[in-house]
Amino acid sequence: MTSPLIIGVRHHSPACARLVAARIRERKPAYVLIEGPADFNARIDELYLPHRLPLAIYSYLSSTSAQRGSWSPFAEHSPEWQALVAAREVGARALFIDLPAWHDALGDLPNRYADTADASDEALSEAYASALAEQLGIEGRDSLWDHLFESAAEAGEGADEDLSAHLTQYFEHLRNDDPGSPGNRAREDMMARWIAWAMARKDGAVVVICGGYHAPALARLWTEVAIDGFARDATGLLPPATPQPEGAAGKASGQGPDPQELLRFGSYLVPYSYKRLDAFSGYASGMSSPAWYQWVWELGASGAGACALQQVLGRLRAKKLPASTADFIAVHARAKGLALLRGHRTALRTDWLDAIAGALLKDAQEAALPWSYRGPLRPGTDPILVEVMDVLAGQAAGKLAPGTPQPPLVASVHAQLQALGLSLDGEFNLDLLKPEDRERSRALHRLSLLGLPGVERVQGPRLALSGERRESWKLRSSIEQTAALIEAGAYGASLEDAARARLEEELRAAHGRLDVLTRGLNRAAFAGLSAVAARLLDELRAAIAHEPAFEAIGAALAVLHPLLRHGQLLGTADAPVLCAVIEAAFDRALWLFEAPVVIATAEALAHIRAVASLRDVGQNESVGDHAGDAAILAIEPQRLLAVLARKARDAAADPLSRGAAIGALYTLDSDNSQRELTEALQLLGTLAPARLGDALSGLVALAREALAHEPAFIAGLDALVQALDQDEFVLAMPAIRGAFSWLPPRERGALARQVLRLHKAEHLSQRALTQALALPAETLAQNQLLERRCRERLARFGLGSGA
């Protein structure tokens, strides 16, 4: 053979899979070269273990500063899989020839075999496919492919030759003169070197299986490769060298560019599922209806239609959706009619789907038909179509053969969970005051950080190390969980290392956002990842210095301060660093709080909580760490008292801030509590009725334990309310009611009893106060008439429904 046979394919196409298998069995080549990760060649025999498909090669690169992963999935009807099967049958050597999946050239391609992977960034090829579909009156690239090739694949004798010619013509027009993106050019250079190497070996015929977009370029590029550049040994030319990640060689020799840079890379087989392959539901997918194409592979297009119709009928009836026998007779007739109209030898996927929509949907649709676009199902999709697309996606899930190599993390996780009395399938109720349960909690939080499906914390404290003792978890094992655990092996060999690397990756993506960094520190505390927490502190200090929002600083203090007071997250040497971060946050919060700003309603709760955080730090400026040494916060509580006092007296400040400031003073400055009480009542007395409740919210939120039981405050507030006229009371009442929502029910009841005593009505029971008023029927009728007139008037001005 003077030239290789280069077969351009569409990934996961049954027609292409049949063609590939037939050509390999016919040619009996020495080499079958397949678009796939070349770094997996040393372990390619793992693919021939007795797995249950679908499965995927997961390739990864993980370092201190970057994380990248990519899948190369195989279904039975994938051309690449059939190439592997047929190569072994004829004794050919099967090799992957593409760049490793972690390479920069594939950096934005999480699924090597996604249907649109080869052309998603190539404008000319997209334009050609769209123009051809429009000319043929076909909607969507999937329907175009089925019309041109899946239908033709069943044409009978000579079909392979016709299909091969048509594929070649289609892919030549698809590529045209487009040079391709830099990533695709780098991949094609690598694949061309492999083809040139196999041809130069002169061991026999060479068959190449690649994405159709690459085929025209590879037919030209392999002839331009200089054979003299290949290394040799006693057996002849050596295969092209597989690229190594930058720094990998240095890692091997101990002389890397950055000795602190951890570098891990490699590949493992993972179980896959049709759900992950499906473009409408799976992540990194790009393929439509994998179950349908498996039926086409097994039964042909006509058999696939009968199977789909039967399963759709069963699903709709199980879901109590319209699915009568007459309906499905109509679907069958429509599908056959559409196939004839469109020139198909048998009804194809889109024919059946259009027939189902036409026969079963009775109303106009809010969303486009799912098979007319790519991506997740859109809101408003009819429930019938949701179920139909789920049937065509399929439920099949892969399973790895026993003994398939797995990353060390998998065995490490199972061993650690077993030692702790846990498993990946079960429900666990923990008492965090018990040392053994704290260890279990840390392990479960580390699993959660890895993002494993089926790991759910049902109940537990919001803040780590808060002193709350109850935590509940529910774990459910699944094929997705197994795959995700294998994929998480890219982050490290142990659960602690992997969880730390995964959290650090999330924090790098935060780009210094204070809220994300603070949440990260809290999650690190839950998981017992002290190394992450220590590195976070410097980033937190920088983020605090640039944070413009008082509420954001307060939210950070609400996490940082309890960690210092109660936690054992940091060692003795690191506690001063956390102190310094809290001090920096405290200083900036004071500076931001003093400015007179208007508090938006949406920010009111966050503002109150931020003032509470300041108060809490001021109350506990000296705390003891777990080693018994004193960790002193140098925050000068007198500065806080001075700022609060100025805010309380600042007439330009928002009433909510002023009320919160007085409430904080009342709590902190017990020696002057009567003065703060007087100022509180004076403030409330000077405010407009509509803002009275805002100031009261700040007061009650910051000093509810004291003020709710202070007779002088209750009497003064009652006098203010009594002085309001009816219109003023209507304006003030909603905010006052909101202010007292800060009180728990028991404390609200105690407050109500004190008010009753003020009005000499303590003999009235709570039931008497809340029961319906007994009014004459005439009075009720008059009130209803007034209410109706009021609503009508509001409606005339566009302020009500008029109902």
Side-chain angles (χ1 to χ4, degrees), residues 8 30 33 55 67 94 190 217 308 315 408 413 454 493 549 560 580 593 628 697-698 706 712 784 800:
L33 306 181
L55 56 81
Q67 175 71 31
M190 179 68 175
R315 172 68 69 85
V413 165
L560 297 173
F593 180 61
S697 291
Q784 288 173 346

Side-chain angles (χ1 to χ4, degrees), residues 542-557:
I544 286 167
H546 295 91
E547 177 57 55
F550 168 69
E551 291 76 17
I553 302 286
L557 281 172

Side-chain angles (χ1 to χ4, degrees), residues 64 260 262 496-497 499-505 507-508 517 521 524 529-542 569-570 574 577 581:
T64 304
Q260 300 301 316
L262 297 175
E496 181 177 358
D497 288 345
R500 181 177 63 248
R502 182 71 180 86
L503 179 57
E504 288 174 344
E505 179 188 52
L507 296 174
R508 283 195 299 273
L517 294 175
L521 185 64
L529 301 175
S530 58
V532 175
R535 284 197 290 273
L536 262 175
L537 294 177
D538 287 339
E539 294 183 54
L540 278 166
R541 183 151 43 180
L569 176 64
L570 302 169
D574 295 311
V577 182
V581 174

Side-chain angles (χ1 to χ4, degrees), residues 477-499:
S477 182
S478 65
I479 183 66
E480 289 81 8
Q481 186 185 82
T482 302
L485 183 57
I486 295 173
E487 292 158 12
Y491 290 96
S494 70
L495 180 55
E496 181 177 358
D497 288 345

